[in-house]
């Protein structure tokens, strides 16, 4: 993938580039045109609306703006924060146009906000006591392309920054 000037310029395999964004897409399995070519063999310039076995290349193939599109899965880092330190979490990867939280989300009770455009979760003031809050965050990529994850924000008196620490034998 290649990203520059706040938009994608090139996508990895399995993703379709449209309007500067990469969207997960899979062409219709087993579809061929009247010449027996699969979607992978058809250049975008040869896309058309002629149906073959009920589907045209424009409906069956990703490079023709067809195929099956799905929301790109995302996550937030598993990070813990110390009391008195600012909270800052960003979704990885950031593919959505907007983000929202579930109606029962308790971020506000702990002075946390989510930026609806970037998905960044931040504290409006540094936490003064420990807490854990869990919310569902939905990334809205396009109409009907939504991915949702549970995000847990934990603030403790002492934090190593990650949920798991790895110790090696023989190291003191």
């Amino acid at each position: 993938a290649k990203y520059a000037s706040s938009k994608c310029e090139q996508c990895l395999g399995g993703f379709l580039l449209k309007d500067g964004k990469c969207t997960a897409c899979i062409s219709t399995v087993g579809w061929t045109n009247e010449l027996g070519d699969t979607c992978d063999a058809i250049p975008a310039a040869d896309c058309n609306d002629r149906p073959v076995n009920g589907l045209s290349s424009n409906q069956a193939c990703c490079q023709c703006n067809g195929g099956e599109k799905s929301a790109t899965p995302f996550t937030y880092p598993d990070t813990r924060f110390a009391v008195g330190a600012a909270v800052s979490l960003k979704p990885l990867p950031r593919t959505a146009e907007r983000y929202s939280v579930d109606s029962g989300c308790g971020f506000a009770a702990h002075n946390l906000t989510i930026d609806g455009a970037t998905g960044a979760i931040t504290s409006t003031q540094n936490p003064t006591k420990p807490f854990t809050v869990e919310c569902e965050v939905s990334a809205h990529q396009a109409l009907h392309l939504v991915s949702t994850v549970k995000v847990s924000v934990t603030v403790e008196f002492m934090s190593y920054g990650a949920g798991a620490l790895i110790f090696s034998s023989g190291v003191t």
Side-chain angles (χ1 to χ4, degrees):
K2 186 176 178 186
Y3 187 80
S5 303
S6 299
K7 63 181 180 178
C8 288
E9 293 181 347
Q10 182 180 2
C11 302
L12 292 175
F15 287 83
L16 172 68
L17 178 62
K18 185 171 180 183
D19 300 326
K21 296 181 181 128
C22 294
T23 302
C25 186
I26 185 167
S27 293
T28 304
V29 177
W31 183 88
T32 61
N33 66 8
E34 60 274 2
L35 301 174
D37 295 328
T38 64
C39 287
D40 291 337
I42 298 172
D46 291 347
C47 296
N48 61 61
D49 288 321
R50 288 189 309 273
V52 176
N53 295 324
L55 290 176
S56 69
S57 58
N58 285 340
Q59 296 167 312
C61 306
C62 291
Q63 74 271 27
C64 301
N65 204 26
E68 292 295 319
K69 295 166 186 69
S70 63
T72 304
F74 73 105
T75 187
Y76 283 85
D78 179 17
T79 305
R80 297 167 186 269
F81 300 91
V83 170
V87 172
S88 179
L89 289 170
K90 295 179 181 175
L92 300 169
R94 191 184 147 261
T95 59
E97 292 188 13
R98 68 181 180 89
Y99 293 81
S100 63
V101 294
D102 63 291
S103 60
C105 180
F107 282 171
H110 299 283
N111 296 313
L112 299 174
T113 61
I114 184 166
D115 184 316
T118 67
I121 299 168
T122 56
S123 51
T124 56
Q125 46 185 282
N126 292 352
T128 57
K129 60 184 178 179
F131 67 86
T132 296
V133 61
E134 186 175 273
C135 295
E136 288 186 354
V137 176
S138 295
H140 306 266
Q141 280 184 254
L143 188 64
H144 307 297
L145 289 181
V146 179
S147 182
T148 301
V149 298
K150 285 190 178 187
V151 179
S152 181
V153 178
T154 300
V155 174
E156 301 170 325
F157 281 117
M158 183 176 159
S159 176
Y160 289 101
L165 295 177
I166 300 172
F167 296 93
S168 301
S169 62
V171 176
T172 57

